[in-house]
Amino acid sequence: TQFPHNYNSVSREAMYGFFNKHFKLGLPEPIVETDYEPLSLSELTVWTPEHPLPPSGDEHEKSLVRELTKDADQQIAALKPTDSASSAKYREVVGGGIDAIFGRRLADVGAIEQENIEETDRGDYLYYRCRLTNKTLGEVVNTSYFYPKQWNKQVVVWVSSTGNAGLVEGDGKPIPAIAELVKAGFAVASLDPFGLGPDVPSDFLTHANRRVKNTRDYAGYTYGFNAPLFTQRVHDILTVVAHAKATSESPEKIHLVGLGGGGLWTAAAAALCGDAVERVIVNTAGYRFAEINDFRDASFVPGIVKYGDVPALLALGAPHKLRLTGEKQKLPLVEAAYTAAGAKDAFTQSPGPDDSKSVLGFLLGK
């Protein structure tokens, strides 16, 4: 607060050390600013008849961005996994990029505290409504649990675009798919991803990203400092998975199901869960982040198109077992990733939507 601008002497001297280290300048540290003599006009002049000003303007900037994009795309495409070594490299570079974009993996979730809001005995199973509080990160997730009395030691985290409400009928009974899973012995957990559910204020933007107030309509002012809505919802899924993994009952397997609009969040969460999840069902509805043309879009995630869009999220899930629906075409990248990971048969793709029978069969390994 004692400086009128962020670029003060303290910040500058930290920057000098950074450049000295990473550019290997070899200067003795600490590097302390000294007085300097201002340059003359001729010494400051850059553009001369012998060294003319390069092209500029909107069209040049667009052309430059296209070239940079082409270069990055070629480098990313060259990382397509073909064997164990290239698979590790793909996970290091592309997976590292995705990790940075979402800013959290399952291991980063932290300590979770459970508070039961409702507990009801429904005969063959118990129904819970709970509030999970992430004590480390200061986040809260409202969840629902269907817990069979004859539990098979497996948990299904079911993600719906309508939150907990998407798992029950109007009378409060579970939808057929959930009822079938519970009957088969699976415990089912659902959640209200960030911005969804009855506790959300009426003026909250549930279908668009909130924007930092500024006279310039510039995405960087918002996303330079704040996680987008999509990312926050993926974080909530990670919280539920981490809670299931750490519960005292110690489940033997955890599965992820993302249907009914929850597929993209689930695909991202699965990529960040590592080997903590066993089987994943995702319906992408053929969606791609590249389709977004407005940074206010609720699915806008900065940088994710550069690192491979939806196919990359699915590819990073290898080798856990993946059932993919909603795609009209084959996904060569995903197939290559699973083959390179030695798990070719763990990836199945079906054009149609999943029903209760197919979901149950997949989770039972049939």
Side-chain angles (χ1 to χ4, degrees):
T1 56
Q2 68 267 42
F3 298 105
H5 196 280
N6 290 341
Y7 194 55
N8 51 65
S9 62
V10 176
S11 298
R12 291 195 301 271
E13 290 183 5
M15 178 194 70
Y16 300 150
F18 176 88
F19 284 131
N20 191 36
K21 175 182 177 181
H22 294 286
F23 287 175
K24 298 179 173 57
L25 302 180
L27 301 174
E29 295 192 21
I31 301 174
V32 181
E33 289 187 352
T34 59
D35 293 339
Y36 65 92
E37 290 291 331
L39 299 175
S40 66
L41 180 60
S42 61
E43 290 172 318
L44 285 170
T45 300
V46 176
W47 313 121
T48 65
E50 295 76 24
H51 188 203
L53 179 71
S56 62
D58 290 349
E59 289 307 314
H60 175 71
E61 289 186 13
K62 291 177 182 178
S63 174
L64 177 60
V65 170
R66 282 194 292 268
E67 285 300 313
L68 292 172
T69 301
K70 179 181 177 181
D71 179 62
D73 288 347
Q74 289 175 341
Q75 293 185 60
I76 296 294
L79 294 169
K80 182 178 178 180
T82 56
D83 54 25
S84 59
S86 59
S87 181
K89 188 66 175 178
Y90 182 84
R91 188 168 298 280
E92 175 191 351
V93 178
V94 177
I98 296 298
D99 287 352
I101 287 169
F102 286 98
R104 188 180 306 175
R105 291 188 64 82
L106 189 65
D108 305 316
V109 170
I112 303 169
E113 184 178 272
Q114 176 181 335
E115 177 188 1
N116 290 346
I117 307 301
E118 176 187 345
E119 179 179 348
T120 307
D121 190 325
R122 295 186 175 179
D124 293 336
Y125 68 93
L126 300 173
Y127 172 74
Y128 297 92
R129 282 196 307 116
C130 306
R131 180 177 293 116
L132 302 183
T133 300
N134 188 316
K135 307 295 287 186
T136 304
L137 300 169
E139 300 169 354
V140 176
V141 186
N142 289 326
T143 59
S144 292
Y145 294 91
F146 301 85
Y147 189 82
K149 294 179 179 178
Q150 298 297 320
W151 183 37
N152 65 4
K153 293 290 185 178
Q154 300 186 54
V155 176
V156 176
V157 178
W158 188 293
V159 183
S160 169
S161 61
T162 54
N164 290 310
L167 275 67
V168 296
E169 305 280 12
D171 58 2
K173 294 181 179 180
I175 60 175
I178 303 302
E180 290 289 335
L181 288 174
V182 174
K183 184 179 179 181
F186 290 92
V188 180
S190 67
L191 69 150
D192 284 331
F194 187 78
L196 299 175
D199 293 342
V200 177
S202 59
D203 60 347
F204 185 91
L205 294 176
T206 60
H207 301 295
N209 272 301
R210 293 160 295 164
R211 186 172 69 89
V212 171
K213 292 181 179 180
N214 197 281
T215 53
R216 283 184 63 193
D217 200 17
Y218 172 53
Y221 289 141
T222 294
Y223 302 113
F225 301 91
N226 304 282
L229 193 58
F230 188 99
T231 295
Q232 290 174 296
R233 290 169 172 171
V234 172
H235 288 172
D236 287 346
I237 299 172
L238 295 181
T239 294
V240 177
V241 174
H243 176 255
K245 187 171 182 287
T247 185
S248 59
E249 285 82 4
S250 300
E252 295 174 356
K253 296 179 181 179
I254 300 174
H255 313 292
L256 281 173
V257 176
L259 304 175
L264 295 180
W265 305 332
T266 303
L272 301 168
C273 279
D275 59 4
V277 293
E278 176 78 11
R279 293 174 181 265
V280 178
I281 302 178
V282 168
N283 187 315
T284 63
Y287 184 85
R288 296 294 182 269
F289 292 100
E291 300 172 17
I292 298 173
N293 57 16
D294 186 343
F295 69 77
R296 300 173 191 81
D297 192 294
S299 293
F300 179 71
V301 180
I304 200 165
V305 174
K306 173 179 179 176
Y307 283 95
D309 213 303
V310 173
L313 295 177
L314 299 170
L316 288 169
H320 64 224
K321 296 176 177 62
L322 171 65
R323 176 177 171 81
L324 175 66
T325 60
E327 293 285 340
K328 295 181 180 179
Q329 299 178 339
K330 295 291 185 180
L331 301 185
L333 174 63
V334 183
E335 293 178 345
Y338 271 82
T339 300
K344 181 179 180 180
D345 294 337
F347 171 56
T348 58
Q349 185 175 344
S350 174
D354 276 299
D355 54 19
S356 303
K357 184 178 180 181
S358 60
V359 170
L360 181 60
F362 177 76
L363 295 179
L364 287 173
K366 296 181 179 179

